[in-house]
Amino acid sequence: MEKKWWHNAVVYQIYPRSFMDSNGDGIGDINGIISKLDYLQQLGINLIWLSPVYRSPMDDNGYDISDYEDIAAEFGTMAQMETLIAQAKQRDIHILMDLVVNHTSDEHPWFIEALKSKDNPYRDFYIWRKPAADGGPPNDFRSYFGGSGWALDEASGEYYLHQFSKRQPDLNWDNPRVHDEVHAMMNRWLAKGIGGFRMDVIDLIGKEVDKQIMANGKNLHLLIRQMNRATFGKGDYVTVGEAWSATPEDALLYSGAEREELSMVFQFDHIKQFWDEHAGKWCSKPFELASFKAVIEKWQTALAHQGWNSLFWSNHDLPRAVSKFGDEGAFRVPSAKMLATALHCLKGTPYIYQGEEIGMTNVRFETIDDYRDIESLNLYHVRLAEGVSHDEMMLGIHANGRDNARTPMHWDDSPNAGFTTVKPWIAVNPNYREINVAAALAEPDSILWHYQKMVALRKQYPVLVYGDFQPVLRDHPQVFAWVRSLDGERLLVLNNFTAEHLTLDIPPEMQNWHGECLISNYAPRDQLAVRLELQPYESFALLIGR
Ligand code: NOJ
């Protein structure tokens, strides 16, 4: 496998609205991010995935862009953005811009033009269809944010497609002029010195609308290859595509070295398996280790020699990692450390979502009015109208709603967690007095320092980056363990994924394994012997002597 600089890199995701407010308007901003670059450098990360900061009416917090080449006033200015790129680079940190080109905002000039008339040159930038025979939407496609995925433009009598909110009209990727505009825009961003792109719902751009194939359409890989050739393929950039529909076979198409497409994709098998088949994320299934192990193993194995995995537990659309996969109560600290070790000891490029490094947890607002996310708000009303009770829907929002990840970052224990000096745009999680960066920095045993150590280990030990992945103790119902091996070196990674004390019988062939414990969340282990008494969420990585 050809080595790339980003193979041992670690990415940190910033959701700008919630990261740091520098100007006292209750909303995070670019200068706030600049003020925290030293913190990120200390953590050791190499790349920042910056969720959208472009000009936007903020119907979907910036995933509805009205100008790809300007910055939202609440976040700052283009000059500040350029300073951020430069200041990050001085610390060897590169910025991945969020490329949202499945759709624009309805306030984008292209859409404003498109609305003017059926023969406007920009009409064909979007996807229009005549009404069905009864005058209703052309078909029954539903938007991800609830309701029909078609909205009527009364002036022309035609419907336009929107897979997300109706203020996010889908671009028409069958129109080569769309490619030209998007490629030119991407090149102008690359010229500003960014490190690459995270590509929003990229699997939706090749859709075949009339066949109702909305993801993974037949032109998808062709479109990505064209984009690669016209833009980032000309330099050493990092690209990560968001691809909810991706199977391992698809991931090889996206990220295979010969394919000239993307560096890697985000896949969501380990997330979706805990969603209900019908009610989706609003009806959570309890965490179950056996199927979780199976999914992780499947992806590690499928991309072992070709392609590349992205590794993540959380992002701005998902619940907090420790709340979902660990224990946000009594074992918050050891379970958050276990999750850090587990993630960073898999093969792929790890992503840390802001706040994960201090073990931030889900939030439980009692009334729907405290929520801000368009998806939770819309689906609350849609599902209640369908007969779901308030309590049931709130359970779903508490478990999987996107605002869990969007409450402000906890910097210290001062009012509003040091995020802002005024009322923030969304309430702070009340546990900030205990869980915050200042406290974590002052505590040598904190989750934060564990992350810092883990990020550093990836730079130090090639076995963590390139080592083959081999599961061990495969059928164990509570332990998830594997061995990474490279050039005769072996690293055993062992995690107790439960809150229980376990007695683990070590299989005979592993009993004499001993060596150097690279990281642990209890006392270091340097040998296995016959039996281990594992603590709740105990986890360690043991480099086995040759
Ligand atoms: C995926 C993004 O991560 C999410 O936040 C957004 O709402 C949709 N794409 C639409 O852009």
Side-chain angles (χ1 to χ4, degrees):
M1 176 181 289
E2 195 197 339
K3 296 202 165 124
K4 298 282 188 188
W5 69 270
W6 40 266
H7 283 162
N8 75 357
V10 175
V11 188
Y12 186 90
Q13 184 192 351
I14 291 182
Y15 195 68
R17 207 172 187 77
S18 307
F19 192 63
M20 180 64 199
D21 173 19
S22 73
N23 64 348
D25 63 358
I27 297 173
D29 48 47
I30 292 173
N31 277 345
I33 300 171
I34 294 173
S35 73
K36 298 298 180 186
L37 284 174
D38 287 340
Y39 167 73
L40 296 175
Q41 181 180 25
Q42 173 170 255
L43 184 56
I45 56 104
N46 315 89
L47 287 153
I48 292 171
W49 155 19
L50 186 63
S51 276
V53 290
Y54 315 92
R55 190 194 292 180
S56 160
M58 301 287 166
D59 191 46
D60 185 18
N61 287 356
Y63 283 90
D64 49 316
I65 298 169
S66 55
D67 186 343
Y68 291 101
E69 295 178 65
D70 198 3
I71 302 295
E74 60 215 282
F75 292 147
T77 62
M78 188 56 93
Q80 290 167 357
M81 184 65 220
E82 283 163 0
T83 305
L84 170 60
I85 295 169
Q87 296 252 331
K89 206 173 276 177
Q90 280 173 17
R91 294 164 176 84
D92 225 2
I93 296 174
H94 300 271
I95 309 272
L96 301 182
M97 292 302 278
D98 213 316
L99 183 79
V100 189
V101 292
N102 173 68
H103 44 269
T104 66
S105 157
D106 62 347
E107 291 187 19
H108 194 287
W110 300 337
F111 193 70
I112 294 175
E113 284 299 310
L115 282 179
K116 286 185 178 164
S117 69
K118 282 191 195 171
D119 53 14
N120 187 283
Y122 287 94
R123 183 77 172 181
D124 200 28
F125 268 48
Y126 297 88
I127 299 169
W128 301 91
R129 291 290 180 274
K130 295 194 170 46
D134 66 357
N139 62 34
D140 59 4
F141 173 70
R142 313 291 292 170
S143 136
Y144 290 109
F145 291 165
S148 172
W150 295 97
L152 180 64
D153 162 39
E154 286 187 4
S156 67
E158 289 188 338
Y159 283 84
Y160 65 86
L161 178 76
H162 61 91
Q163 301 206 64
F164 296 90
S165 102
K166 70 164 175 259
R167 304 206 52 196
Q168 293 166 294
D170 275 46
L171 281 167
N172 175 16
W173 278 86
D174 291 335
N175 178 353
R177 284 185 57 215
V178 169
H179 312 176
D180 296 345
E181 291 281 358
V182 169
H183 296 168
M185 172 274 284
M186 291 170 73
N187 281 327
R188 287 189 289 269
W189 272 107
L190 292 171
K192 287 187 190 288
I194 62 168
F197 297 102
R198 175 268 184 185
M199 302 179 169
D200 193 65
V201 289
I202 202 67
D203 56 340
L204 306 187
I205 66 170
K207 60 195 151 274
E208 298 168 63
V209 175
D210 297 321
K211 292 188 183 156
Q212 288 223 42
I213 299 175
M214 305 311 276
N216 226 1
K218 69 172 188 322
N219 286 335
L220 173 64
H221 293 283
L222 180 70
L223 290 171
I224 295 177
R225 225 182 283 195
Q226 286 173 348
M227 189 184 270
N228 175 314
R229 293 206 178 124
T231 66
F232 51 82
K234 296 176 188 161
D236 195 4
Y237 296 106
V238 184
T239 49
V240 51
E242 185 197 24
W244 283 82
S245 64
T247 62
E249 294 70 40
D250 297 324
L252 289 172
L253 299 180
Y254 286 112
S255 67
E258 310 299 310
R259 299 274 311 167
E260 296 184 7
E261 294 193 17
L262 307 178
S263 312
M264 59 194 132
V265 286
F266 292 126
Q267 59 81 19
F268 294 86
D269 271 358
H270 60 299
I271 306 289
K272 287 186 292 190
Q273 67 174 323
F274 301 115
W275 291 3
D276 182 79
E277 275 146 46
H278 304 291
K281 63 161 68 171
W282 309 113
C283 233
S284 240
K285 294 187 200 161
F287 178 75
E288 203 252 312
L289 185 63
S291 61
F292 183 74
K293 281 167 75 163
V295 162
I296 305 276
E297 283 178 28
K298 175 174 91 178
W299 280 87
Q300 287 287 300
T301 310
L303 275 61
H305 307 296
Q306 288 176 53
W308 191 252
N309 269 299
S310 61
L311 309 168
F312 67 98
W313 297 143
S314 178
N315 68 28
H316 66 293
D317 294 329
L318 302 174
R320 292 285 179 178
V322 73
S323 302
K324 185 79 195 175
F325 300 114
D327 179 335
E328 60 176 24
F331 299 111
R332 188 182 64 86
V333 173
S335 69
K337 289 181 183 172
M338 178 205 70
L339 289 168
T341 301
L343 191 80
H344 292 246
C345 288
L346 288 168
K347 188 168 178 181
T349 297
Y351 289 72
I352 302 170
Y353 179 67
Q354 67 182 40
E356 178 183 323
E357 76 278 19
I358 53 168
M360 281 179 66
T361 64
N362 282 352
V363 75
R364 280 186 183 73
F365 298 138
E366 276 167 31
T367 72
I368 190 68
D369 301 337
D370 286 333
Y371 285 89
R372 298 288 175 266
D373 169 27
I374 181 172
E375 183 192 48
S376 293
L377 295 174
N378 284 4
L379 269 295
Y380 175 86
H381 296 295
V382 168
R383 287 178 48 79
L384 258 64
E386 288 168 359
V388 173
S389 72
H390 165 86
D391 288 354
E392 191 183 335
M393 187 59 192
M394 291 312 277
L395 268 182
I397 292 177
H398 291 162
N400 281 327
R402 306 197 299 181
D403 281 338
N404 281 311
R406 299 178 181 186
T407 62
M409 180 77 182
H410 300 174
W411 294 106
D412 57 38
D413 64 2
S414 67
N416 296 314
F419 163 74
T420 183
T421 50
V422 299
K423 188 171 184 271
W425 69 277
I426 186 171
V428 174
N429 190 321
N431 64 15
Y432 75 87
R433 286 186 192 80
E434 180 203 344
I435 304 170
N436 62 66
V437 169
L441 285 169
E443 162 58 55
D445 233 9
S446 65
I447 301 166
L448 178 61
W449 290 116
H450 187 92
Y451 266 86
Q452 193 263 356
K453 183 168 183 190
M454 201 58 250
V455 174
L457 287 172
R458 288 183 60 89
K459 304 277 179 297
Q460 232 180 313
Y461 291 92
V463 67
L464 274 169
V465 183
Y466 294 109
D468 286 339
F469 167 91
Q470 187 63 49
V472 293
L473 298 162
R474 223 171 167 179
D475 299 323
H476 198 288
Q478 289 133 321
V479 169
F480 190 7
W482 59 88
V483 174
R484 304 284 308 278
S485 48
L486 183 73
D487 301 335
E489 201 163 55
R490 275 177 306 166
L491 181 78
L492 168 71
V493 184
L494 193 145
N495 308 288
N496 171 7
F497 256 80
T498 74
E500 290 157 42
H501 291 264
L502 299 180
T503 301
L504 178 67
D505 291 320
I506 301 296
E509 69 277 13
M510 292 168 63
Q511 288 176 0
N512 66 350
W513 288 9
H514 61 95
E516 185 193 348
C517 188
L518 297 188
I519 194 156
S520 64
N521 56 356
Y522 290 88
R525 302 259 185 198
D526 55 14
Q527 57 185 357
L528 296 185
V530 177
R531 185 162 294 127
L532 286 185
E533 299 297 334
L534 291 176
Q535 301 288 323
Y537 293 102
E538 179 165 353
S539 147
F540 60 89
L542 176 63
L543 191 65
I544 297 148
R546 294 185 187 197

